[in-house]
Amino acid sequence: MKQQEFLNIVLPFRDKMYRLARRILVSSDEAEDAVQEVLLKLWKGKERMSNYNNPEAFAMTMTKNYCLDRLKSKQAGHLKIVHSNYQSPHARLQDQVEANDGVRMVFEIMETLPEQQKMIIQLRDVEQYEFDEIAEILGMKPTAIRVALSRARKTVREALIKKYNYGVS
Amino acid sequence: MELAKIESLLEQYFEGNTTLEQEAQLQQYFATADLPDHLAPYKDLFAGFGYMRQQKSETEFVVPQVKRRNPIWGYAAAALIGVLLSVGVFMNNNADDAPTLTAEQQEALEAFEEAKKALQMLSGNLNDGIEGMAYLNEFDKAAEQIFK
């Protein structure tokens, strides 16, 4: 497979990989690193890539696995992740200057979700994948995904309304 | 879209029962409409998803090149090895020309010189003796003349 061929396959979903990585790892630098690593792995295994009927789902699965591994080794190593979770959310939103406080709240609330719910909301509400595709990426049953998605959306709603009321009163 | 329909769609949304099309409708509605107060948080919710969707990776992926070494380095390395070898051989020869001898070898060399001197003396004396024997030839000649 030629370099250009590979890039043509990979580039359409590279940003989706990045966003998933960023949702899991929080830090944009680490997300960039994760995407590079996963793309490198895909490039090395590119001969097998034509065997996968859905390279995008495969790449997303690899991204998910890579990021969860990173997260696990970080948590095992030290408590840095706990710190970076609360590391000035505003700095991270520098690229969304015009985003208002309510939107910032959504970002913050998203970070408090368990990894699995975080990923499901990311894949559904941000990337707008069908349930079948999410099932393929996460290796879960579509019904289980619906349940987790509903739970995640309700958690976000509750937290958002709470923050809203707090802001008003 | 009327409010009642939106509210029921929203209800379905939180149950995880909406389709992508319905979710797109919700998104569009909350992005554009003038909203009653109790729906204001949802505007931020869907706007937040929209912002997340715009995040982009800023690092270019460069396919790693398989490094092919310039053949000139191969030649250069071969030439360098050749030069080093010949210098080494040259130095080695120099070392043979000016040997540094051990005490034992020195002693042997001296003994050799002594032996050579002694043998030379011997052969010189031997030659003197042979010269002396020349007179015997004269005697032979005389004897031949007599006993012919």
Side-chain angles (χ1 to χ4, degrees), chain A residues 73-90:
Chain A
S73 65
K74 265 167 78 180
Q75 277 164 338
H78 38 74
L79 295 172
K80 190 175 159 220
I81 189 71
V82 177
H83 177 247
S84 74
N85 260 344
Y86 296 100
Q87 209 175 28
S88 112
H90 300 288

Side-chain angles (χ1 to χ4, degrees), chain A residues 14-15 19 23 32 36 43 96 98 102-103 124-126 128 130 146 150 153-154 157 160 164, chain B residues 13-16 18-20 23 27 41-42 44 51-53 55-60 63 65:
Chain A
R14 191 183 63 142
D15 286 330
R19 289 189 289 257
R23 210 58 59 218
E32 297 277 13
Q36 294 290 314
W43 168 254
Q96 292 112 11
E98 72 271 43
V103 169
R124 179 66 178 193
D125 284 322
V126 179
Q128 298 165 321
E130 293 287 357
R146 273 177 201 274
S150 165
R153 282 171 173 170
K154 283 176 180 169
R157 175 177 63 181
L160 194 59
Y164 247 79
Chain B
Y13 170 80
F14 283 105
E15 293 307 319
T18 40
T19 63
L20 283 179
E23 286 165 23
Q27 210 168 335
Y42 304 116
D44 290 334
Y51 278 114
M52 289 178 193
R53 205 174 296 130
Q55 292 176 325
K56 281 183 166 52
S57 164
E58 278 157 19
T59 312
E60 190 97 7
V63 172
Q65 299 297 320

Side-chain angles (χ1 to χ4, degrees), chain B residues 73-84:
Chain B
W73 291 115
Y75 295 131
L80 190 66
I81 288 168
V83 167
L84 284 177

Side-chain angles (χ1 to χ4, degrees), chain A residues 138-154:
Chain A
L138 298 183
M140 292 170 69
K141 289 209 167 70
T143 45
I145 288 168
R146 273 177 201 274
V147 171
L149 178 65
S150 165
R151 201 167 296 154
R153 282 171 173 170
K154 283 176 180 169

Side-chain angles (χ1 to χ4, degrees), chain B residues 59-134:
Chain B
T59 312
E60 190 97 7
F61 178 67
V62 182
V63 172
Q65 299 297 320
V66 182
K67 276 193 189 142
R68 230 177 251 112
R69 256 185 301 164
N70 192 331
I72 202 151
W73 291 115
Y75 295 131
L80 190 66
I81 288 168
V83 167
L84 284 177
L85 268 179
S86 45
V87 166
V89 166
F90 178 70
M91 303 258 284
N92 231 5
N93 282 345
N94 273 359
D96 281 346
D97 285 348
T100 48
L101 298 174
T102 63
E104 201 180 358
Q105 283 172 318
Q106 207 89 42
E107 214 172 292
L109 199 65
E110 267 164 36
F112 170 71
E113 292 295 340
E114 286 300 312
K116 205 160 85 177
K117 221 184 276 173
L119 285 171
Q120 257 165 5
M121 209 190 280
L122 180 71
S123 76
N125 287 341
L126 198 62
N127 281 342
D128 285 351
I130 287 168
E131 269 165 37
M133 277 166 72

